Amino acid sequence: MWQKEYEAMDRAELKALQSKRLRETIERVYNNVAPYRAKMVEMGVKPEHIKSVDDLHLLPFTCKQDLRDNYPYGLFATPLSDVVRIHATSGTTGKQTVVGYTRDDLKVWGNVMARTFAAGGVTKDDIAHVSYGYGLFTGGLGAHGGAETIGCTTVPVSTGNTKRQIQILQDFGCTFICCTPSYALIMAETMAEMGVDPASLKLKVGFFGAEPWTESMRRDIENKLKIQTRDIYGLSEMIGPGVSFECGSHCGLHVNEDHFIPEIIDPDTGEVLPEGEQGELVFTCVTKQAMPLIRYRTRDITRLHYEKCTCGRTLVRMEKTVGRSDDMLIIRGVNVFPSQIETVLLSFAEVAPYYQIVVDRINNADKLEVQLELGENKYPDSVSELEALRGSIGRAIESAIGISVKVTIAEPKTLPRFEGKAKHVVDKRVLY
């Protein structure tokens, strides 16, 4: 562990620490962030009403629209002169969401990412290959900061030019890699084309996040790159990568809850759900200085487990997210998560990890098509066998999601590849 005194803290002591930090944060936010003060006044809540984490439910929610409505600096709790870095989302669905960091915020970020890497066996003697994008996206610099906090030799490769990346892995002797899981598979595919044996590299472990990935995809990455894998979770609005991380027990992701207090709510009513129930994940920052968000609705669907992990950590574990409440597709009145379809696809050994889900509306009826590729040397010998495989995949998807689907097997290497976050859903419907 990187910080055992926090990662394995007694639960009662942790709650006391969270409560103290929460009280301090609410006082500061109430006094320094006008939009939060207005929300709390409207709800009749004052800082003195918040005694412990048990009072979180009294506080207002924050959502992405709040960040857009107060763009760019309206939710900052410190003067801009104290902010030493700005990150922002891509803004593909509206204004960018901007987040700021003080020097102490960057130290916190470095430490939670150091916890992430240490849980994967990384020490100061390792060499980091960071293939997340640098710039406004938090992935690259977040991973970079964690590696430098541990004391690793850090190679800031960023994204793109995959053949060059593989050359660097060979020449620099990198021992762990950070990138999206879909890009890890692109690298494996490119290595095969270049005749590079992954076993000849010094890579031991990979830390993959920024997009959902299944256990089938994990096995595929481990088999093709000959490495161990660790899941990481984060979101720019909290801090970036490092909100939670996976240990060697592979039984969920430990939330760094001395910094980020999680709740699970009903996404429709906003009511806090009992322990162990599945619902929408909500976070409250209690150590961020520049922009501490209160009860931020992530829209990610998961559940929490509070029992002590076999690794010795007492930090709560979140299950892999099963989808997002705002990414959920409603097709013919049925709720469909893209991750459900991915899980089915990757359960077929013949299917490569490249696919697109295309939704359209024809003659006022929703149509769902799944386009996929088969792996190299995985194509059946006859048309009848190919049709049988296509039918099996279609029936398996229908069984999983409850509606019929058209399955199209595309030519090899014709579906999009993504060096950043993979975009698997294309919704062509005009919805009013």
Side-chain angles (χ1 to χ4, degrees):
M1 299 183 196
W2 180 249
Q3 293 176 313
K4 188 174 182 178
E5 65 274 26
Y6 294 109
E7 296 178 64
M9 182 179 280
D10 176 81
R11 291 295 308 177
E13 292 180 16
L14 178 58
K15 182 177 180 180
L17 177 65
Q18 290 175 321
S19 297
K20 176 179 179 292
R21 289 177 169 178
L22 176 64
R23 290 192 300 269
E24 294 170 348
T25 297
I26 297 305
E27 182 79 31
R28 194 157 50 83
V29 163
Y30 187 87
N31 291 329
N32 295 301
V33 186
Y36 272 130
R37 184 166 59 251
K39 280 191 175 189
M40 291 175 66
V41 168
E42 184 179 349
M43 295 176 68
V45 181
K46 294 182 178 180
E48 55 264 32
H49 295 151
I50 308 303
K51 307 295 185 185
S52 75
V53 292
D54 295 331
D55 299 320
L56 267 173
H57 67 281
L58 300 175
L59 294 166
F61 288 115
T62 310
C63 61
K64 191 177 286 271
Q65 190 60 46
D66 290 311
L67 277 74
R68 291 175 177 148
D69 290 344
N70 294 283
Y71 173 90
Y73 307 137
L75 293 182
F76 282 16
T78 58
L80 199 56
S81 58
D82 291 338
V83 175
V84 298
R85 189 188 297 172
I86 296 288
H87 280 285
T89 63
S90 60
T92 54
T93 57
K95 280 188 176 180
Q96 295 186 87
T97 54
V98 175
V99 292
Y101 303 77
T102 65
R103 291 191 186 280
D104 283 344
D105 290 338
L106 293 180
K107 289 178 183 177
V108 168
W109 198 5
N111 273 312
V112 295
M113 282 305 296
R115 294 180 189 181
T116 300
F117 295 145
V122 171
T123 72
K124 66 181 181 63
D125 297 320
D126 282 294
I127 302 174
H129 183 104
V130 182
S131 290
Y132 285 119
Y134 283 66
L136 289 176
F137 174 58
T138 56
L141 283 166
H144 188 113
E148 288 193 343
T149 297
I150 286 182
C152 300
T153 301
T154 307
V155 186
V157 189
S158 194
T159 57
N161 199 338
T162 306
K163 290 184 178 180
R164 174 174 169 268
Q165 299 234 8
I166 293 166
Q167 189 71 55
I168 288 172
L169 287 172
Q170 291 177 301
D171 296 346
F172 291 14
C174 302
T175 57
F176 73 99
I177 187 169
C178 309
C179 63
T180 62
S182 56
Y183 189 57
L185 288 171
I186 291 173
M187 294 184 79
E189 187 178 73
T190 306
M191 285 183 199
E193 293 171 355
M194 295 171 63
V196 174
D197 181 2
S200 68
L201 303 177
K202 292 185 177 180
L203 279 182
K204 299 180 297 185
V205 61
F207 298 87
F208 305 114
E211 64 187 23
W213 54 305
T214 63
E215 288 303 307
S216 297
M217 200 168 181
R218 182 202 294 275
R219 291 191 295 272
D220 207 18
I221 293 171
E222 290 181 340
N223 290 335
K224 289 181 177 178
L225 289 181
K226 311 302 180 188
I227 60 173
Q228 297 181 40
T229 58
R230 293 290 189 273
D231 197 359
I232 61 177
Y233 173 88
L235 54 163
S236 299
E237 297 86 347
M238 285 294 100
I239 202 165
V243 174
S244 67
F245 61 92
E246 188 177 41
C247 68
S249 298
H250 297 296
C251 55
L253 287 82
H254 291 282
V255 177
N256 287 303
E257 55 180 326
D258 51 327
H259 299 289
F260 317 105
I261 303 176
E263 301 173 89
I264 298 292
I265 66 167
D266 183 313
D268 296 321
T269 67
E271 293 297 313
V272 178
L273 295 176
E275 185 176 319
E277 291 285 316
Q278 185 182 82
E280 182 184 337
L281 184 60
V282 172
F283 279 116
T284 297
C285 302
V286 290
T287 56
K288 276 286 288 292
Q289 294 181 344
M291 200 179 81
L293 296 185
I294 308 302
R295 304 194 80 197
Y296 183 75
R297 298 188 61 164
T298 68
R299 300 297 180 182
D300 289 325
I301 304 299
T302 185
R303 59 166 52 91
L304 302 175
H305 299 283
Y306 285 87
E307 64 273 15
K308 185 177 180 179
C309 182
T310 55
C311 74
R313 291 176 177 84
T314 54
L315 295 173
V316 65
R317 287 169 290 120
M318 56 177 278
E319 292 183 358
K320 265 183 174 289
T321 59
V322 299
R324 291 176 54 84
S325 60
D326 56 352
D327 281 352
M328 181 181 70
L329 299 168
I330 302 177
I331 303 172
R332 298 173 223 152
V334 176
N335 297 340
V336 176
F337 288 109
S339 58
Q340 293 175 293
I341 296 175
E342 180 181 84
T343 298
V344 172
L345 292 178
L346 296 183
S347 69
F348 284 83
E350 300 89 345
V351 176
Y354 310 107
Y355 67 92
Q356 282 206 314
I357 300 168
V358 182
V359 189
D360 206 349
R361 180 163 290 170
I362 302 172
N363 296 326
N364 295 317
D366 289 342
K367 303 294 182 182
L368 177 62
E369 178 182 4
V370 176
Q371 302 172 354
L372 60 92
E373 291 182 22
L374 299 185
E376 190 175 355
N377 301 321
K378 297 291 186 179
Y379 275 78
D381 294 328
S382 67
V383 173
S384 61
E385 290 176 330
L386 185 66
E387 284 301 303
L389 175 62
R390 190 176 65 82
S392 295
I393 295 171
R395 288 189 295 273
I397 294 174
E398 183 174 354
S399 176
I401 65 176
I403 58 174
S404 60
V405 58
K406 176 183 178 182
V407 174
T408 301
I409 298 178
E411 292 295 318
K413 300 183 181 179
T414 57
L415 294 181
R417 269 65 168 160
F418 300 95
E419 294 176 348
K421 291 186 179 183
K423 301 176 181 65
H424 289 306
V425 179
V426 179
D427 196 338
K428 297 181 177 180
R429 296 174 296 180
V430 179
L431 303 177
Y432 298 99

